[in-house]
Amino acid sequence: MYAQMIKSEATKDDPEQLAAFQARIDAGDKIEPKDWMPEGYRKTLIRQIGQHAHSEIVGQLPEGNWITRAPTLERKAILLAKVQDEAGHGLYLYCAAETLGVSRDELTEMLLDGRMKYSSIFAYPTLTWADMGAVGWLVDGAAIMNQVPLQRTSFGPYARAMVRICKEESFHQRQGFDIMMKMVNGTEAQKRMAQDALNRFWYPALMMFGPSDAESVHSEQSMQWKIKMNGNDELRQKFVDQTVPQAKYLGLTIPDEDLKWNEDKGAYDFTGPDWSEFFDVLKGNGPCSTERIEARQKAWDDGAWVREARLAHAAKKRAAQVAAE
Amino acid sequence: MSVTGLIRLGDNALVLGQRLSEWCGHAPALEEDIALANIALDLIGQTQLWLGLAGDREGQGRSADTLAFHRDAWDFRNLLLVEQPNRDFAVTMMRQFLFDTWHFEALTALTTHDDADISAIAQKSLKEVTYHRERSTDMVIALGDGTEESHIRMQGALDRLWPYVGEMFTRDDDDLTDMVALRPGFDAHAAATLEAATLTQPASDFAHQGGKTGARHSEHLGHMLATMQSLPRSYPDATW
C-alpha cells in the first residue's frame, strides 16, 4: 500500500474520553479536525496520511521518467494527466494532514531526512514503456484495493480525500491495463517488454500490502480506530485473485511456479515476496532509493528561492494594500 | 494556406510541451508541478490539432504522430526560444512568459482566419493560452519583484532569452498571419509586466534566427528529439 508499516501510537488519554471516542467510531461517526481525539490517533494518522502523500509525490518520478519518451502524443497526454492527478492527490493528502496540526513543509523535511517513508514500490526503476502499463495495472490496482475501503475511514478529511482519489485511481488502472493490452498484441519486442515488466513488478506489488498480519504489530489499534480497514494478508489475497485472471487474459505468465487455484479456500495459493528485500528497501536500499530522495531534495533546495520570492512578493503586495487603505 | 505554417504552430506547442514535461516531479512546489504538467498537457493537445491538420492538408498520409516522431531536427519549424533548455525555474518561467505573450497575440489573430479549421483550433487554444499568459505574467511579476536573489535570477533569464524574441516577429509567406503586426501587442504587455516586475528590458534588439525556417536550430533540439523519438524510431513497426 502507499502506507506501509505504520506504527500505531500508544495513547495515554483519559479512559472515559477514550471510551466515548471509540463509541463514536463504532457508531460510524466521522471524526473532524476540531473534535477531541486521542494523541495516538492524531500521530498515527499524521504518519499514515503523510506517508501516503509522500508516496504520491515520489511516485511521480518513476512515471515522469517516461513522459519525455512516451511513444505517441496521446500516450504522452494521458501520462501527463495521470502524473498531474498524482501530484493533486499529494496536495489533498497534505491538506488533510495539515488539519491535524502539521505543515506540509514539516512533512517534507521529515521525508527528506528519513524520519518519514514513502511506499517501497517507488524505489523500483521503470525500465521500458511496458512499465508504464505495469505501474497502472499492478501498482494502482494494489493501491485501489486499500484505498476503496479507506473511503470509510473514521477521519473525515482523509475519507473525503480518498473518495476523489479512488475515482482517479480506477482510471489510472484502466489506462495501465490498456497499455499492457497494446503491448501483448504488438510485436515480439513489445510482448517481451510486457512479460519483463510483470516479472519485475509482481513481487514488489505484493509487498505494497506490507508484511503478514501475524508480524504486523501495529495493525490492531489502527483497525479499532478505523484508520486501517483490512488486514494485509486479506488485501494481498484479494489482489492476487483479481490479478491472476487478468494476466491470463493478457497471455502473460505470473513469475510464480507455485501459483495455483485452491478449490477449498476458493482462492489462489501463491508465493509471498522476499521480505528481506522489502526491509532492505524500507531502510533505503531499494534500487532507486538514493535517486528518489536525491531528486526530491534537489527540487526542494533548488526551489527554495522561488518559494521565498513568492512569499516576499505576497508580503509586499499586502503592505502596499494596507498603505493604500 | 501553407502546411509549413501549421507545422510551425504544432512544433512550437510540441517542443515547449516536451520541455515543460521535463519538470515533472522536480518543480519548486507541488502547485508548480501541477501547473507545469497542466500547461504541458494543453500544449500537447494543441500539437495534436495543429500537426493533425498539417498532415491532412499535406495529403501524404502523415499523422500528427508521424510528424512528431519521424522528422529530424532540420525539418522542425519551431521558434528557437521554445527549444532552449529549462535550466532553472527563472529561465523556464521567463521563456514561458515571452512565448505566451507572443502565442496569445498570434492565436488572437488566427481566430479570424478564413480557414474554418484554423480559426476553430485557434479559438480553442486561445482559451488555454489566455490562462497560460495570465499565470506566467503573475509569476514573472512575483519573482522579479520578490527577493534580491529572485530578481537577479529573473533579470538574468530575461537577458539570456531576449535575443530569441525577435524571431517571433519575422515574417514570410509560410506564416498563417502577419507576425510583424503582432509586435505592438507583445511590446505593450511585455513592457507593463516587466515594469511591474522591476525588470529592465534589454536595449539590444539582436535576434537569433533559424528555428521557424529550419535553417539553423540550436544544438539543444537534437538532444530533445533523441529522447522524445527514441521508442517510435527504435520500434518502427510497433503500435502503442
Side-chain angles (χ1 to χ4, degrees), chain A residues 256-307:
Chain A
D256 178 358
E257 286 179 4
D258 297 323
L259 181 81
K260 62 172 186 299
W261 179 254
N262 180 330
E263 197 60 54
D264 293 339
K265 72 173 184 182
Y268 284 94
D269 289 333
F270 62 94
T271 307
D274 174 359
W275 290 110
S276 64
E277 178 180 316
F278 172 77
F279 288 111
D280 277 337
V281 172
L282 285 200
K283 276 185 226 148
N285 293 321
C288 296
S289 300
T290 306
E291 287 93 334
R292 298 289 186 248
I293 290 298
E294 197 171 57
R296 292 309 307 162
Q297 183 76 56
K298 187 171 186 310
W300 183 246
D301 294 345
D302 290 355
W305 71 268
V306 178
R307 297 189 302 274

Side-chain angles (χ1 to χ4, degrees), chain A residues 239-259:
Chain A
F239 173 75
V240 170
D241 292 344
Q242 176 188 289
T243 308
V244 171
Q246 294 170 349
K248 277 188 186 151
Y249 182 78
L250 290 168
L252 296 174
T253 307
I254 290 187
D256 178 358
E257 286 179 4
D258 297 323
L259 181 81

Side-chain angles (χ1 to χ4, degrees), chain A residues 47 106 109-117:
Chain A
R47 206 172 282 152
E106 286 171 294
E109 278 160 13
M110 287 194 270
L111 169 70
L112 296 177
D113 69 19
R115 277 177 292 159
M116 288 185 86
K117 305 285 182 201

Side-chain angles (χ1 to χ4, degrees), chain A residues 75-76 104 190 296 307, chain B residues 18 25 28 31 65 239-240:
Chain A
R75 290 288 179 203
K76 195 186 288 293
R104 199 203 307 180
Q190 284 175 298
R296 292 309 307 162
R307 297 189 302 274
Chain B
Q18 175 76 6
E31 288 81 354
D65 281 337
T239 55
W240 307 92

Side-chain angles (χ1 to χ4, degrees), chain B residues 134-166:
Chain B
E134 190 182 314
R135 190 176 174 281
S136 60
T137 298
D138 287 349
M139 192 63 88
V140 164
I141 293 172
L143 298 180
D145 184 32
T147 60
E148 194 184 341
E149 181 183 3
S150 74
H151 178 84
I152 292 169
R153 284 179 184 262
M154 292 306 282
Q155 185 65 52
L158 179 61
D159 294 346
R160 175 167 205 140
L161 294 173
W162 193 254
Y164 298 97
V165 167

